[in-house]
Amino acid sequence: MAFKNFKVETDADGIALVTWDIPGRSMNVLDETSIEELEAIVKQTMEDAAVKGVVITSSKEAFCAGADLSMLEGMNRTYAKMLKEKGEVAANQMLFDQSRRFSLAFRAIETCGKPWAAAINGLALGGGFELTLSCHYRVAADNPKTRLGLPEIKVGLFPGAGGTQRVPRIVQPQDAMQLLLKGKAIKLDRAKALNLIHAVVPAGDMIKAAKDWIKGGGKAVAPWDEKGFKLPGGPVFSKAGMMMFPAGNAIYRRETYDNYPAARAVMSCVYEGLQLPIDAGLRVESRYFTQVLRSKEAAAMIRSLFLSMQELNKGARRPQGVPPTKVKKLAVIGAGFMGASVGYVSARAGIDVVLIDRDQASADKGKAHAEAVISDLVKKGRASEKDRDATLSRITASADYNAIWDCDLVIEAVFEDRKVKADTYAKAQPLLKEGAIFASNTSTLPINSLAEEFKDQSKFIGIHFFSPVEKMMLTEIILGKNTSDLAIATALDYVRQIGKTPIVVNDSRGFYANRCVLRFTAEGLEMLMEGVPAAMIENTAKMAGMPVGPLSLSDEVALDLVLKIMKATEADLGPNAVDQAQKKMMIEMVEKQGRFGRKNGKGFYDYPEKGKGQKSLWAGIAALQPKHLDPDTLDVEELKQRFLVVQAVEAARTVEDHVIVDPREADVGSILGFGFAPFTGGTLSYIDFMGTKAFVELCHKLEAKYGSRFTPPKLLEEMAAKGETFYGRFAPKKPAAQAAE
């Protein structure tokens, strides 16, 4: 029988080699065709007496990138249709049957009576890794790039094809929970130590090693199907088990605040499944998987953190008809923390970089920052000395502007001050080569006003990086009214070159990300003014799903910079543009108390010397509050809502102002740029999944109590009246569905 995604060849020893190779794709994924064919291959090899065993491998660089998440999204659409047409019972049964097909197919491998060996080359993630776990033997090609893991939790799902049952039957429960709940991929040496793979061999010997295991009498029985099997961590109700699970619950609550149904389901699957035989455990897993698949959190996270992010990374907003560009040489003017970091990530990506500052010492300091960052990676084993030397060889530090003469792209990263920026542009413009693009890394100043200092505004664009640049995956590309398609394409291609995710926004003070996140930090300051205890402000923000509290984030941004932005905004737009009480507090903190935030070790928090304990809230905060409220009288749910609503309503305003024209960018940008509660799918998905009518009602309730910052824009009122959603009204053009990577 011929297959589309697999090739099956049986050798003289009766060993069938099943080679996975989906045509037209760079990586194999578990899609509809693959699972159908895999089911047929299991049946065919089981029934063929000439087949003594099976080796499954891939002909691509990786084994499998995971399940096709667009297929799961399609299952949800079918569910909604069937729910309407045939009712809840029929729809639920359909979803349960469909969602456990992988699980049943993998269990069929495990119980077919013939030994299966997985020969793993490259990545094996998600459902692909679960497939290998159902094989009786796993051998991997020795490859430093190989990673094995179960990343489903990152998109609101969990391993639903046996992962929650097989992993804790192989490894200790603590290690199993790390793999399942963190979603981090592990290297081969770690996988081998955990017994998740049995052997690591040179790439050329991989298939032979798998076949030799079968020829040597490899058993076609999984350990958990053998009589007398004992769990690696002991029974759930043993002393060890009872030390693990109650503590695990506490850690789960601390890490997730119960915002993620998939994480809760993992805890339940492992706890319940380990008390049952494997088949019953797999049924438990499938039921929880079906339940989670129907959740709005999974739908939102799959859409934003997988489908939308992939589309943006592949150039969804790139202008049509502009040939591909590649930045070979980059100049960064301003070698301070941000500029030096931009230079470092660019050099790390293979681009030659010139770091320019007012004097040689300042430029050298910028290069020294790059050296410190990569040396730290070398120390931690995440980079080699060869990587370090190659990266640093690409960075030239200089005080001479003439060094930009042959650069394809110049990025200005000087102080957030109009005069300083204007002086920089005056020096740089005459030296730009023909066709070079000039970008500003401004975080708040409007691009159009900066572009007025530029003779050829078509070459001028904003590329806003987020700090720390080495870790933050988002880059905001800001268009001026005269920015050309070539400048947009160059900026997008460059961002892709350095491995970041871009969003394209139109000009506005604060653009998109800072407009929203400044609402978050301002809401924290507002609560301080109201008399809410500082610890309660921080904790309720984290309970709402934000990665850190607003006071902590203000410290990270730097309080002197927050004050500088307030003063610049007031200078441009007048005293009503900033909250005067908040400004007064910032002046007290920065100018009178000398508290600048993390950078000088004191802000809203006191910071210990490096490596000497944890930060703690500054005891002097209470003295700066005009009044104090009793925490027992405060509504925790309302405090949580305020943090999310104030950001989401600002995101809706950016759509009304045409700063955001694609809802995917608002959602992906909010999660990657400022950590907006990932389980919501992002700022606009938060509104869509709540329902615009319900969201507007909540806005009016908060507006009546707390003021106009919660007033919904006219666009949102109109959408609520019509029952519209952002993804309905502003539906982005979607390319062909891609699979999980």
Side-chain angles (χ1 to χ4, degrees):
M1 181 177 173
F3 299 101
K4 182 183 171 189
N5 290 354
F6 295 92
K7 185 166 73 173
V8 182
E9 303 164 291
T10 304
D11 67 15
D13 294 312
I15 298 173
L17 179 64
V18 177
T19 306
W20 199 354
D21 186 11
I22 300 181
R25 297 196 81 139
S26 60
M27 283 204 181
N28 293 321
V29 292
L30 279 163
D31 57 10
E32 192 74 34
T33 305
S34 291
I35 196 62
E36 279 175 10
E37 294 187 351
L38 197 56
E39 288 166 339
I41 289 166
V42 175
K43 189 170 184 292
Q44 178 183 306
T45 54
M46 186 170 67
E47 291 173 353
D48 188 346
V51 173
K52 306 303 179 195
V54 180
V55 174
I56 184 164
T57 192
S58 161
S59 67
K60 299 186 187 293
E61 284 186 14
F63 182 79
C64 174
D68 182 349
L69 294 188
S70 57
M71 177 181 71
L72 298 181
E73 197 188 36
M75 281 162 54
N76 265 338
R77 285 196 297 271
T78 306
Y79 171 80
K81 186 168 179 275
M82 189 171 275
L83 185 65
K84 201 173 177 182
E85 293 172 0
K86 297 189 178 177
E88 193 172 1
V89 174
N92 285 347
Q93 188 65 52
M94 178 281 300
L95 196 61
F96 178 73
D97 292 341
Q98 284 296 309
S99 65
R100 74 180 311 225
R101 277 184 73 189
F102 292 163
S103 183
L104 291 173
F106 297 171
R107 183 60 176 153
I109 288 172
E110 205 165 56
T111 58
C112 70
K114 293 182 180 180
W116 275 61
I120 305 164
N121 53 312
L123 294 173
L125 301 175
F129 185 41
E130 288 179 285
L131 167 56
T132 71
L133 293 176
S134 70
C135 294
H136 306 104
Y137 185 74
R138 294 172 290 282
V139 58
D142 192 359
N143 178 349
K145 292 183 180 176
T146 294
R147 297 290 182 273
L148 309 175
L150 300 163
E152 291 90 338
I153 202 81
K154 295 179 179 179
V155 289
L157 293 172
F158 69 90
T164 70
Q165 300 308 302
R166 292 189 179 94
V167 171
R169 283 172 168 81
I170 296 171
V171 306
Q172 292 286 334
Q174 292 93 332
D175 292 320
M177 287 302 193
Q178 286 288 316
L179 287 165
L180 295 164
L181 290 172
K182 295 288 185 190
K184 285 186 179 173
I186 58 173
K187 295 180 181 178
L188 284 178
D189 55 352
R190 178 71 177 144
K192 175 81 164 54
L194 291 172
N195 205 33
L196 290 165
I197 53 173
H198 299 103
V200 179
V201 300
D205 298 337
M206 182 181 65
I207 302 299
K208 180 180 181 299
K211 289 186 173 185
D212 284 348
W213 174 80
I214 293 171
K215 286 192 277 189
K219 285 178 76 173
V221 182
W224 37 89
D225 286 323
E226 296 206 75
K227 196 172 179 182
F229 169 71
K230 286 185 168 48
L231 293 167
V236 167
F237 287 102
S238 66
K239 187 177 177 183
M242 293 318 292
M243 285 174 70
M244 152 67 194
F245 285 100
N249 277 335
I251 293 167
Y252 156 75
R253 297 290 295 197
R254 184 189 72 194
E255 297 291 322
T256 71
Y257 294 97
D258 210 21
N259 286 323
Y260 295 85
R264 174 186 270 260
V266 166
M267 299 291 292
S268 299
C269 285
V270 175
Y271 179 73
E272 294 171 32
L274 291 187
Q275 298 176 58
L276 300 167
I278 185 75
D279 287 303
L282 290 169
R283 276 198 304 278
V284 166
E285 179 188 77
S286 292
R287 286 184 178 128
Y288 278 112
F289 188 79
T290 307
Q291 184 183 46
V292 167
L293 193 57
R294 285 170 45 198
S295 70
K296 66 180 183 182
E297 290 85 355
M301 290 177 77
I302 288 170
R303 181 170 72 187
S304 294
L305 291 173
F306 175 68
L307 298 170
S308 295
M309 192 151 75
Q310 196 172 67
E311 288 156 10
L312 295 177
N313 282 336
K314 291 189 174 179
R317 291 296 311 283
R318 195 182 188 281
Q320 298 285 319
V322 180
T325 67
K326 188 172 184 182
V327 173
K328 291 176 184 169
K329 191 169 184 184
L330 166 78
V332 181
I333 302 175
F337 181 70
M338 281 298 285
S341 298
V342 170
Y344 163 72
V345 297
S346 302
R348 193 94 162 87
I351 299 169
D352 288 329
V353 175
V354 182
L355 272 182
I356 298 173
D357 216 309
R358 61 183 177 274
D359 53 55
Q360 190 61 44
S362 300
D364 289 340
K365 192 177 172 186
K367 182 168 181 177
H369 168 74
E371 184 170 6
V373 172
I374 194 158
S375 294
D376 188 50
L377 291 181
V378 172
K379 201 184 297 177
K380 291 174 181 172
R382 294 182 194 162
S384 66
E385 290 189 4
K386 188 179 172 186
D387 292 333
R388 181 187 62 199
D389 295 345
T391 300
L392 294 175
S393 73
R394 294 187 195 107
I395 302 174
T396 303
S398 176
D400 184 1
Y401 271 68
N402 286 303
I404 71 175
W405 73 272
D406 60 343
C407 292
D408 309 300
L409 174 66
V410 178
I411 297 176
E412 163 269 299
V414 301
F415 290 123
E416 199 75 346
D417 180 292
R418 287 182 187 282
K419 187 173 185 317
V420 176
K421 289 184 185 293
D423 290 346
T424 302
Y425 303 162
K427 286 182 192 172
Q429 279 184 81
L431 304 171
L432 292 177
K433 78 171 188 180
E434 185 73 28
I437 302 302
F438 194 96
S440 172
N441 178 49
T442 179
S443 56
T444 51
L445 298 174
I447 285 296
N448 284 319
S449 64
L450 294 178
E452 287 170 9
E453 304 292 334
F454 222 79
K455 188 188 282 184
D456 185 355
Q457 294 184 17
S458 70
K459 293 176 180 175
F460 193 85
I461 195 165
I463 303 181
H464 174 212
F465 291 88
F466 295 79
S467 183
V469 179
E470 302 91 70
K471 292 179 182 173
M472 297 295 282
M473 294 310 298
L474 187 75
T475 303
E476 204 172 23
I477 292 173
I478 306 108
L479 310 185
K481 60 188 177 190
N482 297 315
T483 302
S484 67
D485 280 357
L486 175 62
I488 301 168
T490 302
L492 283 167
D493 292 348
Y494 161 68
V495 168
R496 191 173 179 186
Q497 248 180 291
I498 62 171
K500 305 287 184 191
T501 294
I503 61 169
V504 179
V505 302
N506 288 318
D507 195 24
S508 151
R509 177 174 293 275
F511 319 124
Y512 169 67
N514 278 344
R515 272 182 65 168
C516 295
V517 79
L518 288 174
R519 291 285 176 183
F520 171 61
T521 52
E523 198 62 24
L525 296 179
E526 192 67 44
M527 289 177 184
L528 268 184
M529 299 288 104
E530 292 167 17
V532 181
M536 196 170 189
I537 293 169
E538 296 292 85
N539 287 332
T540 50
K542 288 187 278 188
M543 289 166 73
M546 299 301 292
V548 295
L551 307 181
S552 180
L553 184 58
S554 295
D555 274 3
E556 295 293 337
V557 170
L559 302 186
D560 56 334
L561 178 59
V562 172
L563 180 59
K564 189 179 277 188
I565 290 169
M566 281 181 172
K567 287 182 174 179
T569 303
E570 189 174 33
D572 283 0
L573 304 176
N576 292 335
V578 299
D579 186 300
Q580 292 301 319
Q582 290 183 19
K583 180 185 161 194
K584 185 181 173 187
M585 176 182 265
M586 284 292 105
I587 289 171
E588 175 67 32
M589 293 277 288
V590 174
E591 296 178 359
K592 296 182 182 176
Q593 302 274 357
R595 303 187 73 89
F596 300 162
R598 180 183 275 280
K599 71 180 182 182
N600 78 332
K602 49 187 185 174
F604 286 113
Y605 284 79
D606 284 318
Y607 296 86
E609 287 179 42
K610 202 168 184 184
K612 293 187 180 175
Q614 292 185 317
K615 68 181 184 182
S616 57
L617 279 164
W618 175 45
I621 295 176
L624 297 182
Q625 292 182 273
K627 56 185 173 179
H628 301 95
L629 298 174
D630 178 356
D632 290 338
T633 64
L634 299 174
D635 184 341
V636 170
E637 282 305 310
E638 185 175 85
L639 292 173
K640 287 162 60 178
Q641 284 175 335
R642 283 172 65 180
F643 282 125
L644 298 188
V645 171
V646 79
Q647 295 177 81
V649 78
E650 186 64 26
R653 291 186 193 114
T654 67
V655 177
E656 185 174 75
D657 295 345
H658 304 291
V659 173
I660 285 286
V661 297
D662 187 323
R664 295 174 297 187
E665 292 178 308
D667 281 342
V668 171
S670 65
I671 295 172
L672 294 189
F674 49 94
F676 187 84
F679 68 89
T680 66
T683 47
L684 298 186
S685 281
Y686 176 64
I687 298 172
D688 275 6
F689 280 98
M690 185 186 296
T692 42
K693 188 166 183 262
F695 181 79
V696 164
E697 286 169 3
L698 179 56
C699 284
H700 286 311
K701 178 186 153 196
L702 294 172
E703 177 190 19
K705 265 180 109 169
Y706 300 107
S708 61
R709 63 188 180 277
F710 291 103
T711 306
K714 285 180 183 174
L715 169 69
L716 207 47
E717 296 272 18
E718 182 188 310
M719 288 171 64
K722 294 179 180 177
E724 291 179 324
T725 63
F726 283 99
Y727 279 82
R729 178 161 175 159
F730 303 99
K733 288 177 185 173
K734 291 218 172 194
Q738 302 293 329
E741 294 190 12

